Amino acid sequence: MQNKVEQQDMIIIGTIYIQFQPIVQVECMLIKKGKIQKLGQIDEILNEIQLQNEELLQNIKKEGYWEQQVNEMRIIKLDKQQMVMPGMIDSHVHPQSGGIQLSRLRIQKYCNWNDAKEAIKNSIEKGQHDRNEWVFAYGYSEGWFKESGQKIEELDEICSQKPLIIMRDDCHAYWCNSKIVEITQSQKRDGIFIEDEMNLVRKYIPKLSDIEQQQGLLKGLEHLVGNGIIGFQDAAVKEKLFNNYKKLYQDQNYINRLPYCCMSICWNDLFLEQTQNVDEEMKFETVENQIKQIQDLNLEKLYCHSVKLFVDGVLESKTALMNVQYCKCSHNGQLMIQNIPQIIEGLNDRSIQAHIHSIGDRATDIVVESYERIANKLNKNVINYLAHLEFVSPKAIESFKKLNLGANFSPLWFYESPELSLMPTCLPQHYMKGMYPIKDLEQCIIGFGSDWPVSSANPFEAIEVSVTRQPLGHTQKPIPIGDLNQRITIQQAMHYYTEGSALLIQKPGLGLLRQGHSANFIIISQNVFNIQPSQIHQTQVLSTFINGIQVYQLRLL
C-alpha cells in the first residue's frame, strides 16, 4: 500500500454516479476532512467555496484528465470517458488466503493439464516453492481430466521426493502426490482429498509464521483496494485470522490505508481440533465473546456481527446438496452441518447475522425452512443471507421474498467453458437451466462477492459476466450456464456490487456517495454505461479513495 496517506480537501469534476438504483449522477463533488460536503453543479460548488477564477474556469473546459492545487484544495478534472462511482463492496471474499496464494504458483490460467504440469516442473527446477520442502500450486480444473481422469502417478512423475499438493480451483479439494499420502497414512489411491478430508492433509502442512500470515493478509487487502474494493466481508474467519485482523486494524501505520472489514466467524471450524463433541452453547458463547472483543475495540473499519455456516459442499465434488441425485451416482450430495434450525434460531436470538454457504437447492430449502419456523420472531434488524447461490427451488424463491433473506452471488461463475466444464454431466440436463436464478430474486437484497481467490477479485469482470452470461469479451454465440433470461442490466450489476453488498454486510451507506458521509469512491477508466457489455472487463481502477484518502493509484507505464 502507498506510503502517502494524507487526507486532502478535494473537488472532483466530471461524470460522478452517486448511486445506481435509481441512477443519480452529478458533475461535481466537494470533499473536506474526508467527508463529502456537497454534491451538485460545478458553478454552484465553486461559488460556495469562492474558488472562481478565470484560469480555473478555462482549465475546466479543457479536454482530458488534469489535476491542479489551488489554495490547498486538490482539484481533479476527469477525462470525458472516465467516471467516479462509490467504491465496490465485496460481500464474500478471503483476503488472507488470496494474499498468500499471490506468492504461490497459480495454474488456473492454463487451458490444459499438460501446460500446467510443465509450469509446475519448471517451478520446482528453479526452486520456486515454499519452505520446508513442500511444493504448492493452486488452481487445477477437473475439466482438464474429463477424458482421462486424475492419477496420482501424474504428480509422482513431477515430484516424487517432496510433498506436492495442488489445490482445486474452487478450494474444495487437494490433489496430492504419494509422498503426502504416505505422510497422512491415508488410503487415497488417487491422492484426491475433498471437503472434510482436506483436514487430514492440513494438519501436516508446514504452518506459516505469524509474520508470514500477516503479510499475506496485508497483500490480500492491497489487492482488493487495487481492484476498487473499499469494504468487504471475510467469509470464513478462524481464530488465528481473527487475531491477525485485530492486530492489523489497530496498527496506526496501516489503519488509514485499509478497507472496511466485516469478519464472519467460521462456525464449522470452531473447536475443530477437539476430539469430542463440543456443546453448541459453548460455540455460541465463543462467538459472542469474539464479537464483544471487536465491539470493545471501537474501531471504525473493523467490525464483527456475522457467523459463517457451511451447509453443503460444491457441485464439482458432488457434495452440493441437491433435490435430485447426481448422474451416475446413488447420492444427492452432503449435508455439512447438523442442527441447522437450532443454530439459526440461536443466532437470531443473539442478533447475530447468519452468512450461509448454500449451493444445492436441497441445502437452500433446508435453510429457508429453518427461517420459516421462526418467521414470527425474526430479528428485523439483522439481514441474513445465503452465499454462492447456484440452485434455488421455486418455493424457496418465494420464501426469500417473504422472509427478507439476502442473496449473495459470485457472478463470474455465470458461464463455463464447455471444453472444461464437468457440470453438464453432473446433473440432469433440465436442472442446468435453473442455475443462478438472479433475475427471479431481484426483489430481494442482492449483493455480489468474488470469493477470491476462488475467482478473480476484479469486480468489472464479474459485472460483465452477470450482464452477458458469456466468457469475457465474447460477442458471438452465447455459451451460457442457466437461462439467458436471467441476465441482468449493467445498472443492476453496479448496484449489487455497491449498495446491495453494503446492505448484506450490514454497512448501509457504504456503497453510496452522500453529503455528510465519508468519501469512499473510485475513479475508473471508462463509463461502463457508454460501452458494449463485452468491454466492461477492460475497465481499470485508476484511483481508490477511502475516507477521502487516496489508498491506490494505478501506475501507468
Side-chain angles (χ1 to χ4, degrees), residues 458-525:
N458 184 337
F460 295 101
E461 294 180 358
I463 286 168
E464 177 177 319
V465 174
S466 72
V467 172
T468 67
R469 293 234 176 184
Q470 298 180 55
L472 297 175
H474 200 78
T475 58
Q476 300 172 14
K477 186 177 179 180
I479 309 175
I481 276 223
D483 187 350
L484 284 177
N485 291 325
Q486 295 290 338
R487 288 180 291 193
I488 61 174
T489 67
I490 298 174
Q491 177 185 347
Q492 286 177 304
M494 298 291 279
H495 169 72
Y496 296 155
Y497 233 128
T498 51
E499 187 180 4
S501 285
L503 291 173
L504 287 191
I505 71 170
Q506 302 195 147
K507 198 70 176 172
L510 195 59
L512 301 167
L513 300 180
R514 286 285 184 270
Q515 189 169 313
H517 289 202
S518 295
N520 298 303
F521 65 96
I522 59 177
I523 302 174
I524 59 177
S525 61

Side-chain angles (χ1 to χ4, degrees), residues 257-268:
R257 312 180 226 171
L258 300 175
Y260 287 81
C261 168
C262 173
M263 295 188 289
S264 195
I265 298 167
C266 193
W267 180 273
N268 299 58

